Amino acid sequence: MSKKILAILSEYGYWGIELVGPLTKLEEAGYTVEFMTPKGKKAEALPPSYDTTYMDPPLGVCVTTPEAADMVKAFEATNRLEERRNMSEVVPERPYFSTPNFLREFEKYYSDLKIAQEDLTSEYAGLLLVGGSGPIIDIVNNQRVHDIILAFYKKDMPIGAICYGVAPLVFARDFNERRSIIRGKHVTGHCIEYDYHDGTGFLNTDLNMGPPPYVLEYILSDAVGPEGQYHGNFGKETSVIVDYPFITARSLQCSLEFGDQFVNVLDNGLKRYGW
């Protein structure tokens, strides 16, 4: 089995420990983590994610510990994110239905996609979707991200997602069937009690979205349907759920536990955890 993991990051800011936590655990287990962004631009950690004075409004406490801040700063100082893959050069874009010669273009899209998906799942052992506010802009409703998720899903390979990195799982659907791949599954993600009322900010733009544009808990609850379950675990320090092939984590406090269980899935065949 490959000992490489593909991590997808937003170009509008990722939450530091939500990458560095699982990355540390994966590397300790002998895995190499490689990075990809939607347009090939460098991903950067959101400043609050390494600011030990930043008070999280919903929680009313500083959520960035000195240890986490040091880990994130040390990782950023390595400049490892200077080396990254450009998703737009790896995965084809589905054509608009108004495209001239649409049917032939659509057939070509599927032909090219099949090759791209096979290449990715042959090279990597699993997929990591990193959270933070940035994914709201360029990851969640990104067809190329959906197609990458589907590649690993169809091969029954591990897919790890944390915080707002969980949201793309709702929308990654076969274009013909249009059925959620997490239907009937147990998942976790940012619960409504922890959502911002205002100040959802991003890097590389002056946009302040106010609250997130969707309630992650609600869209996850709807997507899993009556056969599955969303677990918010409000009040508990962490919430990590494994319902293979998915490893989902609620937020930054879960980063190290999330990494541990990702490794357990990869190395020990863990299928269920946290429910």
Side-chain angles (χ1 to χ4, degrees), residues 97-117:
F97 279 71
S98 60
T99 300
N101 199 28
F102 168 75
L103 184 54
R104 299 289 84 78
E105 291 297 321
F106 203 42
E107 289 171 341
K108 184 178 186 304
Y109 156 72
Y110 273 121
S111 178
D112 292 345
L113 177 61
K114 183 178 181 180
I115 295 169
Q117 290 179 323

Side-chain angles (χ1 to χ4, degrees), residues 78-93:
T78 65
N79 290 321
R80 281 186 57 187
L81 291 174
E82 294 291 344
E83 293 187 20
R84 58 201 176 271
R85 300 186 70 174
N86 182 341
M87 190 183 303
S88 67
E89 295 177 350
V90 175
V91 180
E93 185 175 46

Side-chain angles (χ1 to χ4, degrees), residues 28-149:
E28 287 175 351
Y31 288 88
T32 298
V33 179
E34 296 186 352
F35 313 104
M36 180 181 283
T37 59
K39 300 292 186 182
K41 297 178 182 177
K42 182 180 178 181
E44 300 175 72
L46 291 155
S49 71
Y50 51 87
D51 180 358
T52 56
T53 68
Y54 175 74
M55 297 291 288
D56 185 77
L59 292 173
V61 295
C62 179
V63 292
T64 301
T65 65
E67 294 78 13
D70 288 345
M71 289 174 68
V72 174
K73 290 175 183 176
F75 173 76
E76 290 274 289
T78 65
N79 290 321
R80 281 186 57 187
L81 291 174
E82 294 291 344
E83 293 187 20
R84 58 201 176 271
R85 300 186 70 174
N86 182 341
M87 190 183 303
S88 67
E89 295 177 350
V90 175
V91 180
E93 185 175 46
R94 186 172 61 236
Y96 281 116
F97 279 71
S98 60
T99 300
N101 199 28
F102 168 75
L103 184 54
R104 299 289 84 78
E105 291 297 321
F106 203 42
E107 289 171 341
K108 184 178 186 304
Y109 156 72
Y110 273 121
S111 178
D112 292 345
L113 177 61
K114 183 178 181 180
I115 295 169
Q117 290 179 323
E118 182 62 33
D119 287 346
L120 288 170
T121 52
S122 297
E123 184 172 2
Y124 298 102
L127 179 66
L128 171 61
L129 302 165
V130 180
S133 53
I136 291 171
I137 292 183
D138 64 347
I139 300 293
V140 173
N141 191 22
N142 184 324
Q143 165 253 307
R144 287 185 168 108
V145 174
H146 301 165
D147 281 339
I148 293 173
I149 294 170

Side-chain angles (χ1 to χ4, degrees), residues 7-274:
I8 294 180
L9 297 161
S10 169
E11 296 172 6
Y12 290 88
Y14 70 91
W15 196 272
I17 197 63
E18 292 178 3
L19 168 63
V20 179
L23 177 144
T24 299
K25 296 293 187 176
L26 288 161
E27 291 185 335
E28 287 175 351
Y31 288 88
T32 298
V33 179
E34 296 186 352
F35 313 104
M36 180 181 283
T37 59
K39 300 292 186 182
K41 297 178 182 177
K42 182 180 178 181
E44 300 175 72
L46 291 155
S49 71
Y50 51 87
D51 180 358
T52 56
T53 68
Y54 175 74
M55 297 291 288
D56 185 77
L59 292 173
V61 295
C62 179
V63 292
T64 301
T65 65
E67 294 78 13
D70 288 345
M71 289 174 68
V72 174
K73 290 175 183 176
F75 173 76
E76 290 274 289
T78 65
N79 290 321
R80 281 186 57 187
L81 291 174
E82 294 291 344
E83 293 187 20
R84 58 201 176 271
R85 300 186 70 174
N86 182 341
M87 190 183 303
S88 67
E89 295 177 350
V90 175
V91 180
E93 185 175 46
R94 186 172 61 236
Y96 281 116
F97 279 71
S98 60
T99 300
N101 199 28
F102 168 75
L103 184 54
R104 299 289 84 78
E105 291 297 321
F106 203 42
E107 289 171 341
K108 184 178 186 304
Y109 156 72
Y110 273 121
S111 178
D112 292 345
L113 177 61
K114 183 178 181 180
I115 295 169
Q117 290 179 323
E118 182 62 33
D119 287 346
L120 288 170
T121 52
S122 297
E123 184 172 2
Y124 298 102
L127 179 66
L128 171 61
L129 302 165
V130 180
S133 53
I136 291 171
I137 292 183
D138 64 347
I139 300 293
V140 173
N141 191 22
N142 184 324
Q143 165 253 307
R144 287 185 168 108
V145 174
H146 301 165
D147 281 339
I148 293 173
I149 294 170
L150 289 170
F152 285 86
Y153 174 73
K154 290 173 182 176
K155 288 284 192 74
D156 200 32
M157 299 172 70
I159 301 167
I162 182 168
C163 196
Y164 285 110
V166 179
L169 301 181
V170 173
F171 305 109
R173 306 176 183 215
D174 181 276
F175 191 67
N176 291 302
E177 296 179 5
R178 307 194 188 189
R179 181 179 184 271
S180 176
I181 60 173
I182 60 171
R183 188 169 183 84
K185 290 294 186 178
H186 290 251
V187 299
T188 190
H190 215 267
C191 54
I192 191 172
E193 292 88 352
Y194 297 157
D195 281 350
Y196 282 23
H197 290 171
D198 189 23
T200 304
F202 310 92
L203 294 176
N204 305 315
T205 175
D206 59 2
L207 173 65
N208 171 6
M209 195 170 277
Y214 49 81
V215 178
L216 182 56
E217 174 179 340
Y218 291 172
I219 65 171
L220 287 171
S221 296
D222 291 346
V224 297
E227 307 96 335
Q229 187 175 342
Y230 164 81
H231 302 265
N233 286 317
F234 175 62
K236 297 182 180 180
E237 275 192 26
T238 63
S239 180
V240 177
I241 300 292
V242 176
D243 191 354
Y244 193 86
F246 304 108
I247 310 109
T248 54
R250 186 180 64 205
S251 196
L252 65 107
Q253 297 90 345
C254 312
S255 299
L256 296 175
E257 181 183 352
F258 171 60
D260 283 332
Q261 301 316 317
F262 205 145
V263 171
N264 266 335
V265 168
L266 288 161
D267 288 354
N268 302 318
L270 180 69
K271 301 295 183 183
R272 173 174 173 163
Y273 174 87

